[in-house]
Amino acid sequence: PKIKLIDKKVTHLIAYSISPTITIENLYGIFRYRIVNGQVTTINKFMKLYAVFMIFFFAIPYGVWFTHFIQYEESTGVERITEIAEEIPVILMLVKHILTMIIFVYINMKNVKLFKTFEKIDCYLNISKNRQFHRKIRAHLQTALITFLVTYAISCLYDFIKNDTFIPYKVLHVAIDFECHLEAFAFYTYVKILVERIVIVNLYLSNLVQANENMNKLPNTSKPATNAFDNLIFVGSISSNNNKLTTLATAYDAIGEAGKLINEVFNFQIFLTLVYTFVFVIMSIWITVYSFRSGISVSVYNNVIECIEELIPVVLMCYICELLYAKRNLTKMLINELIMNYELPKSVRIQAKSFMELVNVWPLELVAYEMFCLNIKLLVSFISLLTTYLIVILQISHFM
């Protein structure tokens, strides 16, 4: 079914629900879209220039500091090697920041298309004007963002107290590092709002399954409840003329398309986050072991905390992707119940079978360049690989 998106409220409500994350991204020069007269469109030249400015804002000061560090650092031998090695993760962060800014400008049209896909999903699910739904998402994202900011601030405060690093450099380091973590949270934001829409699909399907089990026909209406989502009756009455399952299937198809777009938009960020986290943890392990063997004072506890902090973005991405896949599996189970219920009208079961084929086509698995599928298995494999390298480094350290 075709749905015309003519109501400006649809755009504003979606933008309202994700605005906590988008606002902070804009401060860094990351603009995904702009809204003009209630319509989503690509970013303008001013936004692009601001993004370029933010690239130089971080790159030039760090370049000056690093050049000064290389030329005038008085330490020698093992200590100098260790200090230079500590800068490798920072350089990777800066490179990641620069590439991220360039890519966001390059793929801006996909961000706009993703936003419009969410508009289409909301219209199919009849929640485009439901303020409670969008407020619920916004409240969750605000809570998650505040938790994220407070946790990050505490860890930074601890670093400032424990380290005697030059303060302006430390501030620059924190600003660059925060942007890397922010993109992981942005990924969480977009997948989360996708999960919430699958939850609505599952609620509609659950109502249909429960109505049949209770032998009570639902009222023939297409308006969802406005005060709570526990009593949604979008699916209408169970009859051979009911084609609401087809509409739900179309909504799921749009959800699958949105998942694909999220993957394309964040593909590079996912890959760089995994690479950076791996390099950071390995370098931290190597520096700790190397310094300890060389008799240089090093805080093992501090390094462990830093490694855990850098693993949080990977954990966050894997968790939300696992949740997305779990909701998709629940959708599959509910549809299967409809297919296996031979008391339902034949037309309803045919729609359910078509829906099942669509679910199989869209597994909703997010991957990084077809190499890493983000889920709990990846997280376990990631930690297992780090443990293996820890053992290897410990073995090699005996020959240092």
Side-chain angles (χ1 to χ4, degrees), residues 278-314:
F278 179 78
V279 172
F280 180 88
V281 175
I282 293 299
M283 290 300 300
S284 296
I285 294 172
W286 181 83
I287 290 171
T288 302
V289 174
Y290 190 73
S291 300
F292 183 78
R293 292 287 183 182
S294 303
I296 300 175
S297 177
V298 61
S299 175
V300 177
Y301 176 77
N302 188 38
N303 288 346
V304 171
I305 294 298
E306 288 182 353
C307 289
I308 293 175
E309 290 174 1
E310 296 304 326
L311 281 171
I312 289 176
V314 178

Side-chain angles (χ1 to χ4, degrees), residues 15-65:
Y16 169 78
S17 65
I18 63 175
S19 60
T21 305
I22 297 299
T23 301
I24 300 180
E25 280 192 319
N26 291 347
L27 295 176
Y28 271 90
I30 301 174
F31 298 97
R32 299 182 182 276
Y33 57 83
R34 65 189 179 104
I35 299 177
V36 180
N37 297 324
Q39 299 296 323
V40 180
T41 183
T42 55
I43 61 177
N44 55 27
K45 291 182 179 180
F46 173 78
M47 292 177 174
K48 293 178 181 179
L49 288 174
Y50 183 71
V52 173
F53 168 76
M54 292 304 295
I55 291 176
F56 290 106
F57 182 79
F58 291 115
I60 292 177
Y62 182 79
V64 171
W65 181 90

Side-chain angles (χ1 to χ4, degrees), residues 312-329:
I312 289 176
V314 178
V315 174
L316 190 66
M317 292 191 299
C318 289
Y319 161 74
I320 195 63
C321 289
E322 187 71 23
L323 182 61
L324 176 66
Y325 190 67
K327 297 300 181 183
R328 177 259 184 190
N329 286 341

Side-chain angles (χ1 to χ4, degrees), residues 141-155:
L141 292 178
Q142 280 182 325
T143 303
L145 183 60
I146 291 172
T147 304
F148 166 71
L149 292 175
V150 170
T151 304
Y152 190 83
I154 292 173
S155 66

Side-chain angles (χ1 to χ4, degrees), residues 334-371:
L334 292 170
I335 296 172
N336 188 62
E337 288 189 38
L338 296 175
I339 294 174
M340 299 305 295
N341 190 342
Y342 292 93
E343 295 180 0
L344 289 174
K346 185 177 180 181
S347 61
V348 174
R349 293 183 62 247
I350 291 174
Q351 291 179 62
K353 288 179 181 179
S354 300
F355 198 165
M356 179 65 79
E357 292 178 4
L358 198 60
V359 172
N360 292 329
V361 170
W362 292 112
L364 298 183
E365 292 181 338
L366 302 182
V367 297
Y369 292 112
E370 304 297 332
M371 292 187 292

Side-chain angles (χ1 to χ4, degrees), residues 187 263 267 270 274 314 317-319 321-322 325 363-382:
F187 175 79
N263 209 150
N267 220 346
I270 295 170
L274 292 173
V314 178
M317 292 191 299
C318 289
Y319 161 74
C321 289
E322 187 71 23
Y325 190 67
L364 298 183
E365 292 181 338
L366 302 182
V367 297
Y369 292 112
E370 304 297 332
M371 292 187 292
F372 311 109
C373 183
L374 293 179
N375 50 34
I376 297 300
K377 291 181 180 179
L378 173 64
L379 184 60
V380 173
S381 300
F382 195 79

Side-chain angles (χ1 to χ4, degrees), residues 152-168:
Y152 190 83
I154 292 173
S155 66
C156 290
L157 183 62
Y158 176 80
D159 289 340
F160 272 100
I161 294 174
K162 290 293 181 180
N163 297 335
D164 298 328
T165 313
F166 185 50
I167 297 297

